[in-house]
Structures are given as C-alpha cells and as structure tokens.
C-alpha cells in the first residue's frame, strides 16, 4: 500500500513547498483556502427525493426508521419507529420487510447522520459517542423473522 504524499498535497494547496513560505504568506494562503466557496451539498429535503439505494453516494451513514406515509404501524413494526441504524442495515431490513410483510408495509427510513467526512450532504456528523438507541443486529434479525413467520402463516 502506497503512503500518502502529504508534502505533495501541501505543495498543490499552497503553490509551493510550505517551508519556502513566510509565516505571513502561509497565513494568507490558509485564509484564502478557508474563504474559498465550499462545494455544493445536498439538503435533507433534497436527499428525501433521491432513491434510498443512492444515499451512499451522498455520505449518508445512519438512517432513522419512520412510519410509512399514511400507514399506522402494525404491532410488529411499531417498536422500530425512531430507531437508528446504518444505511446498509436499514436497506437490508426494509427490503426484507417489503418482500415479506403484508401490504401495506409500515416502515420507511429517513437520513439521519453523515460520516465524519461530511461530503455531499448537510446532515450532522455521526456523533463520536454513538447513538444509544441504535439497536443491534439481533433486534432486527428477530423482527425480520417475526414478520416473515407471521405473514407466511397468513397466506
């Protein structure tokens, strides 16, 4: 694995080796970088209009489970409302639910946190201390089995 050429990165940023710049020049270059326009990011509202399977391209790390629009959650789905989990896990469980749940499906998800890089979206960063209400894998695995069992028995 190749190392990072930090010297090259700094030369690209400052136009020459930082050791060749005076303190004043270096401070001016840093201020110019800070004042430069930031890259356009996608708002929370705009993210909701983007298909969920593309959210990974916008730095969505965590999602929150919500009720599907216009649907009152069933007894199996109600305890999951408001829980947070990774985008990958969220997509897996919601896809499983859509495939195995009696219609209409009770759940949906909304973006919650970005990764620490914070690129392409204006979501808050995932907190370093974590999200205490984020359930573990077993919680959702048990839910997925219960949905499948109940809805297969009803067919």
């Amino acid at each position: 694995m190749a190392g990072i050429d930090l010297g090259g990165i700094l030369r690209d940023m400052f136009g020459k080796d930082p050791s060749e710049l005076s303190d004043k020049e270096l401070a001016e270059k840093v201020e110019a970088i800070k004042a430069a326009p930031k890259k356009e990011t996608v708002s929370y509202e705009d993210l909701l209009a983007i298909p969920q399977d593309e959210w990974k391209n916008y730095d969505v790390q965590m999602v929150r489970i919500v009720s599907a629009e216009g649907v009152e959650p069933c007894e199996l789905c109600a305890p999951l409302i408001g829980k947070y989990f990774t985008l990958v896990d969220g997509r897996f469980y919601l896809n499983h639910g859509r495939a195995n749940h009696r219609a209409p499906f009770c759940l949906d998800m909304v973006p919650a946190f970005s990764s620490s890089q914070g690129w392409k979206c204006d979501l808050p960063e995932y907190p370093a201390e974590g999200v205490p209400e984020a359930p573990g894998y077993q919680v959702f695995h048990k839910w997925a089995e219960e949905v499948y069992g109940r809805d297969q028995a009803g067919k």
Side-chain angles (χ1 to χ4, degrees):
M1 184 171 157
I4 296 174
D5 179 14
L6 189 55
I9 293 169
L10 291 173
R11 280 190 294 282
D12 287 345
M13 287 174 58
F14 297 125
K16 60 181 176 179
D17 195 299
S19 63
E20 299 172 10
L21 296 169
S22 70
D23 289 347
K24 183 180 178 196
E25 289 174 311
L26 196 55
E28 288 171 355
K29 296 270 186 187
V30 168
E31 287 304 315
I33 290 169
K34 286 168 42 178
K38 305 294 182 229
K39 287 196 315 190
E40 193 67 32
T41 58
V42 174
S43 70
Y44 177 84
E45 290 76 21
D46 290 339
L47 268 173
L48 292 176
I50 295 168
Q52 293 174 349
D53 58 349
E54 294 179 23
W55 285 356
K56 66 183 180 305
N57 299 327
Y58 292 87
D59 197 35
V60 176
Q61 180 180 352
M62 298 287 289
V63 294
R64 184 170 52 90
I65 295 288
V66 295
S67 296
E69 190 173 348
V71 177
E72 187 68 31
C74 69
E75 70 283 354
L76 286 177
C77 296
L80 301 180
I81 303 297
K83 303 291 187 197
Y84 293 83
F85 56 105
T86 67
L87 174 61
V88 172
D89 287 348
R91 286 182 53 219
F92 173 80
Y93 286 109
L94 290 190
N95 287 341
H96 177 88
R98 287 183 185 106
N100 295 293
H101 194 289
R102 287 189 296 249
F105 184 47
C106 305
L107 304 176
D108 203 351
M109 64 184 183
V110 294
F113 299 105
S114 70
S115 74
S116 59
Q117 285 79 31
W119 55 278
K120 279 197 166 182
C121 70
D122 64 2
L123 296 174
E125 289 184 6
Y126 184 67
E129 66 276 7
V131 181
E133 61 273 6
Y137 171 80
Q138 293 302 326
V139 170
F140 280 96
H141 188 68
K142 183 175 183 304
W143 171 79
E145 284 183 339
E146 287 175 357
V147 166
Y148 180 79
R150 180 198 69 179
D151 291 352
Q152 290 302 310
K155 288 184 178 179

